[in-house]
Amino acid sequence: MNIKTKLRLGLGILVAMIVLLVALSVVNLQILTATEPTSPAAGPGLYRALIWVLVVGAFSIIIGVVLLLLLPGSINKPIHELANGIQEIANHNYAKRLYLKSQEFVEVSHNFNRMAKRLEDYHASTLSKMMASKKFMETIINSVREPIIGLDNEMNVAFINDEALNIINLTREEIIMKSAKEVALHNDLLRRLVRELVDTEKSDSHTKSEPLKIYADNKESYFQMNSMPITQMDKDGVTPKQQGYVIMLKNITEFKELDSAKTTFISTVSHELKTPISAIMMSLQLLEDERVGSLNEEQTELAKSIQDNSERLLNITSELLNMTQVESGKLQLKPRVTKPIELIEYAIKANRVQAEKFKIQIEVQYPEEKIGRLFVDSEKIAWVLTNLLSNAIRYSYENGRIIIGARQSDDGYIEMFVQDFGRGIDPRYHKSIFDHYFRVPGTKVQGSGLGLSISKDFVEAHGGTLSIQSELGKGCCFIMRLKV
Ligand code: ADP
């Protein structure tokens, strides 16, 4: 029965009862007016009419009350159920269905159920699509043979592939969605990774970190860590917003092994070359001796050229040997207390012949007052100064001037410097000149590109620094800073 019928029926009954009540009251009145109120014939008639009035009145009241109680409820109930259903759908409960009996609402509930079913199907399909694409992404990350770890902005582990789990030695459940900082408390490797990540973030530098030595695949392996922030466009589609970080580890064990084989090879060859070169130089010295027989001018020239080249060869082999010492980590320092002036004098003495050859004047700048002594491996630091002075001579113009000296800085360091007024070095090469085998493009003077890199390694092994100040065309000043 629809609401309209219900209302009509209810009101109809009520009106009929009221009409009946009024009719009975009228009958009652007529009886009263037609008969003598005191006559015995009026009594039973009045009594019956009164009973009818009372019964019909009571009945009307009951019907009225029943209508009052039930009618609003029966109209309100389907509306309430409909509102409830909409609320459930809004709460993503797409399984909600309505079965309203009221005629007007049968259609409504049918349409509601159709809508809910379509939403349910759509939701199930998008959810399964999302699950499928998530699985696909996980498969891709897992199929990468390098360890990868993803962190959100709060440093919780958002994803990690099997390779990373393998080297970190944890199960997926032990780490996924957990705070990396907390897990790192019980895991050395993760602690190092998190620390490196935090340091890189703080320093904002993109210099390569030292390789990590990790025991993986039943052998010692080396990994290079790289990290980068994950950024996504914000809701406006323009502003980039950081979502977290990705840590990637590159297995460089193979390169390390090749590098170490190369270092061993260079070391062996340079060592083996030293003896025959020294023998050649000894023989040349003997040739100069008149007792062996005198050389004519041309022969003397040739002998001189052989000597120059042998000296260069000996220098290169000693540079290569020094480099292999640093690379293989076998650099052993034998420090002793040394006066800076002793090192300077050694370097000048070692370069005297060369300086005379190019008619270069060497000036020494040394403070009058006492300066501190160094506690260094004097052989190594003297080698650095000799190399810097040799460069200054080789890269200066003929008849040039070079200043070599030392000073004590206010912060307790001894600064030793070599300054020339030659061609200088373009600032864009200032970083690269300390790399192995690097030579400024267009350099005509012969060399190996190893001297400065070895010098830097030697100075840093002492906890010091080697830096350059130079402008193209204005010469160079190399400054070595060592703690007193
Ligand atoms: P090498 O001198 O054997 O090439 P180094 O490592 O000592 O190797 O120097 C690297 C490069 O830096 C040189 O090839 C040269 O181009 C440049 N360089 C070094 N010292 C000077 C200097 N005093 N003046 C100008 N250029 C220099």
Side-chain angles (χ1 to χ4, degrees):
M1 198 189 297
N2 66 20
I3 297 170
K4 205 165 146 192
T5 323
K6 269 185 206 165
L7 275 172
R8 269 188 192 155
L9 199 69
L11 286 172
I13 295 172
L14 211 58
V15 168
M17 296 303 285
I18 291 166
V19 168
L20 196 60
L21 200 63
V22 171
L24 282 170
S25 305
V26 171
V27 169
N28 233 1
L29 272 175
Q30 273 179 355
I31 294 171
L32 266 180
T33 47
T35 53
E36 276 291 309
T38 49
S39 85
L46 264 177
Y47 183 72
R48 264 199 313 277
L50 213 63
I51 293 288
W52 273 108
V53 169
L54 279 176
V55 169
V56 172
F59 206 61
S60 302
I61 290 170
I62 290 167
I63 287 177
V65 169
V66 168
L67 280 177
L68 199 72
L69 290 177
L70 294 185
L71 203 59
S74 77
I75 294 168
N76 199 22
K77 196 177 162 220
I79 295 173
H80 185 69
E81 271 184 46
L82 184 63
N84 249 354
I86 293 170
Q87 181 71 40
E88 288 291 318
I89 296 288
N91 292 338
H92 304 284
N93 176 14
Y94 304 119
K96 178 74 186 168
R97 297 290 181 273
L98 293 180
Y99 300 100
L100 303 175
K101 300 267 172 357
S102 173
Q103 222 172 42
E104 296 92 338
F105 286 96
V106 169
E107 185 70 14
V108 173
S109 67
H110 177 68
N111 284 337
F112 176 92
N113 291 347
R114 264 182 58 206
M115 176 194 75
K117 171 91 177 67
R118 291 183 74 169
L119 279 173
E120 192 177 21
D121 290 350
Y122 175 74
H123 184 245
S125 77
T126 41
L127 196 72
S128 65
K129 262 189 209 156
M130 273 162 63
M131 291 303 287
S133 61
K134 184 173 175 269
K135 264 227 133 32
F136 185 60
M137 292 302 293
E138 278 174 2
T139 316
I140 292 176
I141 293 170
N142 267 333
S143 63
V144 177
R145 296 268 56 93
E146 309 287 358
I148 301 180
I149 305 171
L151 303 170
D152 62 19
N153 278 336
E154 280 71 46
M155 291 275 182
N156 297 315
V157 180
F159 61 83
I160 180 164
N161 69 353
D162 293 343
E163 284 292 322
L165 287 172
N166 185 27
I167 62 159
I168 283 186
N169 212 4
L170 289 173
T171 62
R172 196 170 288 278
E173 291 68 38
E174 283 173 320
I175 190 166
I176 205 84
M177 287 330 284
K178 303 258 165 64
S179 157
K181 285 183 179 166
E182 270 170 35
V183 180
L185 292 176
H186 318 284
N187 189 293
D188 287 349
L189 180 56
L190 193 62
R191 189 159 52 240
R192 282 166 69 190
L193 296 178
V194 171
R195 196 180 302 146
E196 290 253 354
L197 178 69
V198 173
D199 288 352
T200 333
E201 278 300 296
K202 266 192 206 149
S203 65
D204 205 24
S205 75
H206 294 284
T207 46
K208 274 206 174 146
S209 52
E210 278 291 299
L212 301 161
K213 198 170 165 190
I214 297 165
Y215 197 76
D217 299 331
N218 294 326
K219 64 175 178 125
E220 252 176 19
S221 303
Y222 290 86
F223 288 86
Q224 182 75 54
M225 177 185 150
N226 285 314
S227 63
M228 58 176 188
I230 312 172
T231 41
Q232 250 182 11
M233 286 305 158
D234 209 359
K235 282 182 200 124
D236 59 9
V238 189
T239 330
K241 194 172 170 207
Q242 184 162 334
Q243 302 290 339
Y245 312 88
V246 185
I247 297 175
M248 285 167 292
L249 294 171
K250 190 171 169 55
N251 193 336
I252 52 161
T253 316
E254 206 181 317
F255 303 110
K256 266 269 176 198
E257 283 166 358
L258 287 173
D259 194 47
S260 128
K262 174 217 76 186
T263 307
T264 316
F265 174 76
I266 295 177
S267 160
T268 317
V269 171
S270 327
H271 206 268
E272 292 303 315
L273 279 176
K274 264 186 132 177
T275 322
I277 300 169
S278 305
I280 293 172
M281 290 178 73
M282 286 265 283
S283 308
L284 281 169
Q285 264 179 0
L286 286 175
L287 267 184
E288 279 174 16
D289 196 331
E290 292 286 318
R291 283 172 296 176
V292 195
S294 56
L295 301 176
N296 63 29
E297 209 175 305
E298 206 175 337
Q299 285 166 337
T300 316
E301 274 293 301
L302 285 172
K304 180 84 187 68
S305 161
I306 296 172
Q307 187 163 12
D308 285 352
N309 283 302
S310 306
E311 265 169 20
R312 267 194 51 217
L313 213 54
L314 202 61
N315 274 343
I316 293 172
T317 48
S318 95
E319 279 183 349
L320 286 171
L321 263 179
N322 282 334
M323 182 191 78
T324 56
Q325 264 188 31
V326 177
E327 281 195 346
S328 60
K330 286 185 194 143
L331 183 66
Q332 279 182 351
L333 301 178
K334 294 180 201 119
R336 64 180 181 86
V337 178
T338 317
K339 285 186 198 161
I341 190 70
E342 284 172 9
L343 301 169
I344 291 171
E345 278 166 357
Y346 177 91
I348 294 174
K349 203 168 152 208
N351 281 292
R352 178 154 296 139
V353 179
Q354 213 184 4
E356 277 166 8
K357 188 172 150 193
F358 292 103
K359 301 189 186 70
I360 304 245
Q361 186 195 331
I362 301 175
E363 285 172 28
V364 178
Q365 271 183 11
Y366 204 75
E368 301 266 297
E369 67 273 18
K370 231 176 147 196
I371 66 166
R373 291 175 184 213
L374 294 165
F375 185 63
V376 291
D377 184 326
S378 51
E379 230 177 74
K380 299 277 185 290
I381 298 299
W383 188 93
V384 174
L385 266 189
T386 308
N387 180 64
L388 292 178
L389 190 58
S390 159
N391 276 357
I393 296 169
R394 288 190 303 137
Y395 297 110
S396 281
Y397 305 112
E398 237 172 87
N399 299 313
R401 173 177 161 241
I402 290 170
I403 305 170
I404 181 168
R407 56 187 171 234
Q408 183 143 13
S409 69
D410 296 337
D411 52 355
Y413 277 84
I414 294 284
E415 287 181 355
M416 287 198 271
F417 55 90
V418 177
Q419 185 172 10
D420 66 67
F421 302 90
R423 69 199 69 218
I425 300 176
D426 192 324
R428 67 190 150 129
Y429 299 123
H430 284 188
K431 255 195 179 154
S432 324
I433 50 161
F434 295 106
D435 291 343
H436 285 347
Y437 308 110
F438 181 85
R439 311 201 71 220
V440 173
T443 304
K444 299 226 168 45
V445 179
Q446 284 190 320
S448 62
L450 282 171
L452 286 178
S453 66
I454 297 168
S455 300
K456 194 166 167 51
D457 288 337
F458 278 0
V459 177
E460 285 177 356
H462 285 86
T465 57
L466 179 63
S467 59
I468 177 182
Q469 288 171 356
S470 175
E471 259 180 70
L472 206 54
K474 291 196 178 162
C476 292
C477 183
F478 285 90
I479 304 158
M480 167 164 56
R481 262 166 73 84
L482 288 163
K483 192 102 183 116
V484 184

